[in-house]
Amino acid sequence: QLPRLKPFNRLQIILQHLNMSKHTDSAAEVLLEKRGCAGVITMNRPKALNALNLSMIRQIYPQLKTWERDPETFLIIIKGTGGKAFCAGGDIRAITDAGKVGDRLAQDFFREEYILNNAVGTCQKPYVALIDGITMGGGVGLSVHGHFRVATEKTLFAMPETAIGLFPDVGGGYFLPRLSRKIGYYLALTGFRLKGRDLQKAGIATHFVESEKLPALEEDLMALKSPSKENVADVLNSYHMKCKIDQEKQFVLDEHMDKINSLFSANSMEKIIQNLKQDGSPFALKQLETINKMSPTSLKMTLRQLREGASMTLQDVLTMEYRLSQACMSGHDFYEGVRAVLIDKDQVPKWKPATLEEVTDEFVDSCFKSLGNSDLKL
């Protein structure tokens, strides 16, 4: 029984009830508010570690575009709720269910997500991502292409897609090969996790600030009077300079950088494997063990994605990645990877083909082919 309310309020409540998705009120999955000089986007699915679903994308994109045009909005801030995650990725379960039955979501999700990634990358207003907590997959796409990425001691970054029969998408083919030396290739193929200050040392974050200082940082940003990009940078720099956590700590990959650069610079997966075996050091053997668990198809797709993406624009990379996403949706390994890692959690995926040698160049080529009228248009 609805409470007795003024007709308008009552209608609003009825509409809200109709709007409810199966689990939560979709209006509350993302909060969009204008505060001071800033437009603030808050991903609000803390129980799902703020995983990005299609209804969130469809709320964020038009609002981002509106704020970009609004003369009274000078910067955009994006963050997550719950204290554990900025955004732990895309809503993989929903995409898996859709893909299995040929539902449009398997096309729409990637198409609209990549259009949003491009909007972040081309945003005309300063864009500040507060990547506090877990930031993986789809969460990386919402942050890494923006002007400013603020990591904290709680940040955990990874692109773990090769473990579920996918590839590091959301523009991974653009930003990963542009990281210093071969770090991006290493992160993409192994799914290695970076934490805290290491994100800034790797070039993924632009600033490092204590997690507990973020509310104050946000207030200072919102209080700016018609700020320029430089004014925003000044505020971020002042917080960054004052942060003493892990200041003296060496970059986690420092001692392995020479090996990473030589071992991961090969132009085929087979050669990378050969390099690791020949090297034989504990570090190399550990990487070999990790890579051997990944989808052979995903590994070959990913290496080519990064090698080609290194000289492409973000738009061309996203167009290429949309083709790859649809190849994965019509293949075997994505569904098997999701089953093994996320659903049954037995961690023993049965990849098809099971070896790198069986993944032919012709097959990989076919994944990169134009989809004609169905191609992503940016």
Side-chain angles (χ1 to χ4, degrees):
Q1 189 65 39
L2 286 170
R4 284 184 172 277
L5 296 165
K6 289 180 186 162
F8 176 69
N9 286 4
R10 190 167 165 161
L11 178 66
Q12 249 187 336
I13 288 185
I14 292 168
L15 286 172
Q16 268 181 340
H17 277 268
L18 290 173
N19 255 336
M20 293 269 252
S21 70
K22 274 186 291 228
H23 307 295
T24 57
D25 181 349
S26 64
E29 293 178 338
V30 57
L31 310 172
L32 303 160
E33 40 193 345
K34 182 77 199 305
R35 295 176 59 195
C37 69
V40 183
I41 301 164
T42 309
M43 291 173 284
N44 189 33
R45 296 180 72 206
K47 288 197 175 78
L49 298 176
N50 299 323
L52 190 63
N53 62 26
L54 191 56
S55 77
M56 291 163 75
I57 293 168
R58 287 179 171 173
Q59 291 172 74
I60 294 169
Y61 177 77
Q63 187 61 71
L64 179 60
K65 286 308 210 183
T66 302
W67 280 334
E68 192 177 14
R69 289 188 296 266
D70 174 25
E72 298 304 304
T73 304
F74 292 89
L75 89 129
I76 290 156
I77 296 170
I78 184 166
K79 60 181 181 168
T81 53
K84 284 189 179 161
F86 167 69
C87 168
D91 195 346
I92 292 289
R93 293 289 285 267
I95 301 161
T96 310
D97 295 344
K100 280 182 188 160
V101 296
D103 188 291
R104 277 200 60 85
L105 176 70
Q107 297 159 18
D108 295 347
F109 180 85
F110 290 101
R111 186 184 298 277
E112 294 182 44
E113 182 183 27
Y114 296 176
I115 289 170
L116 175 55
N117 298 150
N118 185 54
V120 171
T122 56
C123 187
Q124 298 302 300
K125 303 272 168 86
Y127 182 98
V128 181
L130 304 176
I131 51 174
D132 189 31
I134 301 166
T135 304
M136 295 186 185
V140 176
L142 288 175
S143 54
V144 78
H145 305 297
H147 305 108
F148 303 109
R149 288 90 63 190
V150 182
T152 75
E153 73 281 5
K154 289 166 135 187
T155 307
L156 174 66
F157 163 97
M159 293 297 274
E161 288 80 4
T162 55
I164 56 163
L166 212 51
F167 58 96
D169 64 334
V170 298
Y174 182 79
F175 84 88
L176 287 163
R178 284 168 173 77
L179 297 178
S180 75
R181 296 149 83 190
K182 293 292 169 188
I183 289 181
Y185 291 80
Y186 173 68
L187 296 174
L189 297 169
T190 65
F192 183 81
R193 298 175 166 203
L194 289 174
K195 295 180 184 137
R197 212 179 263 275
D198 285 332
L199 271 84
Q200 194 225 335
K201 291 180 175 159
I204 292 158
T206 55
H207 295 81
F208 183 76
V209 173
E210 287 103 322
S211 182
E212 62 179 34
K213 295 276 167 53
L214 289 182
L217 168 62
E218 229 182 303
E219 291 302 324
D220 285 352
L221 287 171
M222 293 185 293
L224 291 169
K225 297 278 176 275
S226 51
S228 65
K229 196 170 161 189
E230 287 67 35
N231 302 141
V232 173
D234 288 344
V235 172
L236 293 169
N237 291 340
S238 72
Y239 274 82
H240 174 78
M241 297 310 283
K242 286 185 201 134
C243 182
K244 299 288 181 259
I245 298 176
D246 292 339
Q247 215 171 12
E248 305 307 314
K249 220 174 103 195
Q250 194 186 25
F251 177 45
V252 67
L253 294 173
D254 246 1
E255 58 182 305
H256 305 300
M257 267 330 294
D258 290 340
K259 279 201 189 300
I260 287 172
N261 292 326
S262 60
L263 299 171
F264 287 85
S265 59
N267 56 11
S268 75
M269 266 325 295
E270 288 88 347
K271 185 79 178 90
I272 289 176
I273 297 286
Q274 195 187 334
N275 286 349
L276 291 166
K277 283 179 178 163
Q278 279 176 343
D279 182 276
S281 65
F283 174 77
L285 294 177
K286 194 174 167 206
Q287 308 323 307
L288 189 60
E289 193 187 334
T290 300
I291 286 173
N292 279 334
K293 292 179 185 149
M294 306 304 189
S295 154
T297 303
S298 290
L299 290 168
K300 284 204 168 176
M301 205 183 256
T302 297
L303 184 59
R304 175 155 164 196
Q305 170 205 2
L306 267 57
R307 289 175 61 81
E308 295 200 2
S311 57
M312 285 176 157
T313 63
L314 175 60
Q315 291 72 37
D316 288 342
V317 165
L318 290 166
T319 302
M320 165 177 76
E321 290 181 357
Y322 182 70
R323 294 169 183 172
L324 296 179
S325 77
Q326 297 311 294
C328 290
M329 290 302 105
S330 59
H332 165 273
D333 279 7
F334 170 66
Y335 303 100
E336 174 58 13
V338 171
R339 179 205 66 74
V341 176
L342 300 176
I343 298 173
D344 298 343
K345 299 189 174 159
D346 57 27
Q347 311 300 332
V348 196
K350 308 264 186 297
W351 304 123
K352 283 183 195 168
T355 65
L356 283 170
E357 290 65 39
E358 293 171 88
V359 182
T360 64
D361 290 346
E362 292 71 36
F363 175 74
V364 177
D365 288 344
S366 73
C367 298
F368 285 79
K369 281 207 168 60
S370 167
L371 300 171
N373 285 339
S374 299
D375 256 341
L376 176 67
K377 313 220 176 11
L378 292 169

